[in-house]
Amino acid sequence: MSVRLIYIQYPALIPVDISAPEWINSVTYFSMDGVGKADWFSGKAQDVAHVELTREKFETTVAMAAIGYRYDLDELGKAQLLGMNLSADKANLARRVAEEKIEQVAFAGDTAKGFTGLVNATTPTATTPPADGTGSATTFASKDPDKILRDINAQLTGIASGTLGRDMADTLLLPYTVLLDLSTRRLDTVSPTTILDWIERNNIYTRSTGQPLTVRGMFSFLDTAGAGSTKRMVAYRRSPEVVKLHMPMPFRFLPAWQAGPMLFEVPGIFRLGGVDIRRPKSVRYLDGI
């Protein structure tokens, strides 16, 4: 079943890599980790400390997808009489549909092609929040602001601890219903401050760096992405050093061709691979929120 998306988010949330040749069959990438420590050194010494880099090799296939539009002379003539640009309208719709397909692959992958996305990859650590909400629940809806902030900070600091302080998540992705709850539920009956306002000001990333934490809601991808089809939160550092979407060929239209005596078709194509999570320790999932 096709799901119509309200807006396209992947360009702002996932770095896109278009550097590979357009017709390449696959993209090879490496999941990397490293260790090393600088120390004091004498100019007469020879034992310079070195960093050690570990790499795990992965390969993602690159597949082609297509969407286009057609028109015949009859509908084109009628559109001209009405002052309508039929070709532009259909072209814009085709481009929008292509973007929706890329959005789907970027976040949720594609099982037919063996792709995983940012929200359902196998390499990041997935955890569950403490069951100390109302009725021993784990969900944010069952918890007070202090416990929600604790659970979010645990993911942010978990990335910092897992990378020995090299990375800290700067982006949170939440199911839309969870974001809606946090953005409308107030700290108390007197204060106009919502839980989301409070989290954005007091999360450990903002307190440590002075930079705002990016918080975005998703309408479908996270609702059942967690273990046991529960709601999932994704925390990660939004950087091409951490995550990339490989798109060797961005969407383009090919020349129009005559498919019949009065029928013309304009095909559009694009080629992309899966999402490459290069530093799995810089991405974390929290399930059951």
Side-chain angles (χ1 to χ4, degrees):
M1 181 179 69
S2 176
V3 178
R4 300 296 299 203
L5 302 172
I6 293 180
Y7 54 92
I8 303 299
Q9 299 200 77
Y10 80 87
L13 296 175
I14 303 176
V16 178
D17 188 339
I18 62 173
S19 62
E22 290 184 340
W23 296 102
I24 196 169
N25 290 324
S26 63
V27 174
T28 300
Y29 63 93
F30 296 87
S31 171
M32 297 183 294
D33 197 4
V35 295
K37 180 180 179 181
D39 207 347
W40 301 116
F41 184 74
S42 169
K44 297 180 180 179
Q46 297 180 342
D47 54 342
V48 176
H50 300 88
V51 297
E52 296 293 337
L53 184 65
T54 59
R55 298 173 182 256
E56 186 174 358
K57 182 179 178 181
F58 295 90
E59 189 163 352
T60 180
T61 57
V62 175
M64 181 166 65
I67 184 68
Y69 63 96
R70 59 168 51 180
Y71 58 89
D72 58 46
L73 292 181
D74 180 61
E75 64 177 334
L76 189 61
K78 291 177 180 177
Q80 288 175 339
L81 284 176
L82 296 173
M84 299 169 56
N85 190 336
L86 182 64
S87 297
D89 291 341
K90 288 189 173 183
N92 290 338
L93 179 58
R95 186 175 296 278
R96 168 70 190 195
V97 171
E99 287 291 288
E100 291 178 1
K101 179 65 174 179
I102 298 170
E103 178 96 345
Q104 174 75 32
V105 172
F107 288 108
D110 188 291
T111 54
K113 293 297 181 182
F115 296 154
T116 56
L118 176 60
V119 309
N120 63 356
T122 57
T123 50
T125 297
T127 60
T128 303
D132 55 3
T134 303
S136 299
T138 63
T139 62
F140 284 2
S142 69
K143 296 184 176 183
D144 61 35
D146 289 337
K147 292 177 180 177
I148 295 172
L149 181 61
R150 175 206 62 193
D151 293 346
I152 289 175
N153 277 338
Q155 295 304 296
L156 304 181
T157 57
I159 289 176
S161 298
T163 61
L164 301 179
R166 180 184 61 200
D167 282 342
M168 183 179 289
D170 59 9
T171 305
L172 288 183
L173 305 182
L174 294 166
Y176 177 74
T177 53
V178 174
L179 182 65
L180 182 62
D181 173 54
L182 298 181
S183 64
T184 55
R185 189 162 29 127
R186 293 184 296 171
L187 289 178
D188 52 52
T189 57
V190 179
S191 172
T193 302
T194 67
I195 296 176
L196 182 59
D197 293 332
W198 191 67
I199 289 170
E200 288 177 333
R201 289 200 303 265
N202 294 286
N203 70 84
I204 191 63
Y205 171 76
T206 298
R207 288 297 187 182
S208 298
T209 66
Q211 300 298 314
L213 178 70
T214 298
V215 183
R216 294 289 182 270
M218 314 214 77
F219 282 91
S220 60
F221 299 128
L222 294 170
D223 287 340
T224 57
S229 297
T230 56
K231 293 180 180 179
R232 166 171 283 178
M233 180 183 79
V234 180
Y236 67 105
R237 184 165 77 90
R238 194 174 69 255
S239 165
E241 296 178 349
V242 174
V243 59
K244 288 182 180 180
L245 171 65
H246 294 284
M247 193 188 307
M249 180 189 292
F251 181 76
R252 68 173 62 165
F253 287 114
L254 300 179
W257 66 289
Q258 191 166 353
M262 294 187 295
L263 180 65
F264 297 85
E265 294 187 354
V266 182
I269 61 172
F270 56 101
R271 304 186 76 244
L272 71 159
V275 166
D276 159 14
I277 295 182
R278 307 187 71 219
R279 292 183 180 173
K281 292 182 180 180
S282 298
V283 181
R284 287 177 72 92
Y285 299 149
L286 186 65
D287 296 344
I289 65 165

